[in-house]
Amino acid sequence: MKICLVEDDLELGRALAAALRQDGHEAVWVRRAGDAKHWIGGDTFDAALLDLGLPDGNGLELIHHFRTEGKTLPILVITAREGMEDRLKGLNLGADDYLVKPFAIEELLARLRAVVRRAAGWSDQKEAIWTVKDLVLDEKRMTVTRDGQPVILSKTEFALLHVLMKHADRVLTRQEIETQAMLHNEGHVLDVHISKLRKKIGDGYIRTVRGIGYMLEK
C-alpha cells in the first residue's frame, strides 16, 4: 500500500516510516499540513497516518479539508491527545480510526490494514470481489473470469492479478508488486509471470510503465 505519513516529530516519523517500509508499504513522510495537502491533493494514496499537532496547522482542520475536497482515502489519526472531545471531533469530521500515543507498531499496522479493508468495502468475514472491465476476481474462491468465462491462473499469477486489480489505474513499482504478491525478487521472474498473466487474460489490461513497474488499466 502507498501511505502518506503526516508526523512532525523527527524521531517518531523516522521510526514509523521505517516500520511501514519494512512491512512492505510505500511511505511518503511529510511534517507539515501544507505538504500533506500538496501530496494527497496530487497523488493517489491507500491511506494516511495523521498526527493532529502540526507546526503549520491543526490535523482536525486537515481532515475537514480532505473530506470537503472529496478525498475518500482512509485516515488513521495518531496523536498524544487523549481527550474524548478531540477523538469524537476527529471521527465526526471523517477520520476512520484513532490511535493514542504511545502505541505498539504492531497495533498501528493492524489498525491501518483494518481501515483500508473497511474502505474497500470488505472485511475478513466478507467476500472481496474485484471487477475491472470484464475481469472479475473472487478473492475468497480464488477464481477469475473474463466476460463470464473462467480464466485458469497459477497461484502466483492470481496473486499478481489480485494486487494489480486492488490498485487499478495506479502505477505500482516492481518492489510494491513483488512485496504484496510475496514474490521473491530473482532476476526477471516478475516479468516472466506478468507475461504469462497477459497471455491468459488478454491484451488491453496490464500496461508496462518503463523504468517503474506496471499498471492495470480500467
Side-chain angles (χ1 to χ4, degrees):
M1 296 187 294
K2 187 172 184 179
I3 311 298
C4 186
L5 169 62
V6 189
E7 170 59 64
D8 66 314
D9 183 274
L10 281 172
E11 184 175 352
L12 180 58
R14 289 194 187 102
L16 291 178
L20 289 168
R21 290 164 185 150
Q22 187 174 1
D23 199 49
H25 308 297
E26 179 183 350
V28 174
W29 172 31
V30 298
R31 301 178 60 205
R32 301 173 64 86
D35 293 331
K37 288 180 181 180
H38 169 77
W39 278 95
I40 294 177
D43 205 341
T44 301
F45 289 89
D46 296 295
L49 294 178
L50 173 64
D51 184 19
L52 293 184
L54 299 171
D56 62 334
N58 188 309
L60 294 174
E61 295 172 355
L62 201 55
I63 296 171
H64 177 69
H65 168 78
F66 290 139
R67 293 312 187 219
T68 55
E69 288 289 312
K71 295 293 182 181
T72 59
L73 81 166
I75 298 175
L76 173 56
V77 172
I78 48 175
T79 181
R81 302 180 188 180
E82 298 184 13
M84 179 65 72
E85 183 178 347
D86 278 333
R87 274 185 277 181
L88 290 176
K89 188 172 182 180
L91 293 169
N92 288 331
L93 284 172
D96 294 87
D97 200 357
Y98 232 93
L99 193 55
V100 177
K101 303 173 184 177
F103 49 77
I105 292 295
E106 291 78 7
E107 181 180 5
L108 173 75
L109 295 173
R111 284 177 179 263
L112 180 62
R113 287 188 286 266
V115 297
V116 171
R117 285 200 302 268
R118 289 199 298 269
W122 61 281
S123 66
D124 289 334
Q125 288 75 42
K126 182 179 177 182
E127 292 183 77
I129 297 177
W130 307 86
T131 303
V132 174
K133 297 180 182 177
D134 57 356
L135 276 179
V136 179
L137 182 148
D138 188 319
E139 189 173 317
K140 185 174 181 181
R141 294 181 176 84
M142 291 191 69
T143 59
V144 175
T145 60
R146 179 185 175 187
D147 197 22
Q149 299 301 311
V151 179
I152 308 303
L153 302 179
S154 69
K155 184 177 179 180
T156 299
E157 290 161 357
F158 182 89
L160 287 173
L161 183 60
H162 184 206
V163 171
L164 291 168
M165 290 185 76
K166 283 197 300 182
H167 303 286
D169 272 350
R170 187 190 128 194
V171 179
L172 295 174
T173 66
R174 297 176 64 90
Q175 183 179 3
E176 283 181 295
I177 298 171
E178 289 166 347
T179 299
Q180 294 186 43
M182 293 183 289
L183 185 66
H184 296 296
N185 185 9
E186 299 173 358
H188 296 287
V189 66
L190 175 60
D191 303 307
V192 172
H193 287 301
I194 290 289
S195 177
K196 291 180 180 178
L197 180 59
R198 275 180 168 143
K199 290 178 182 178
K200 292 184 178 182
I201 66 174
D203 296 328
Y205 295 96
I206 302 174
R207 180 162 70 89
T208 301
V209 182
R210 194 171 301 277
I212 301 176
Y214 297 95
M215 177 176 74
L216 189 72
E217 296 183 304
K218 288 185 178 179

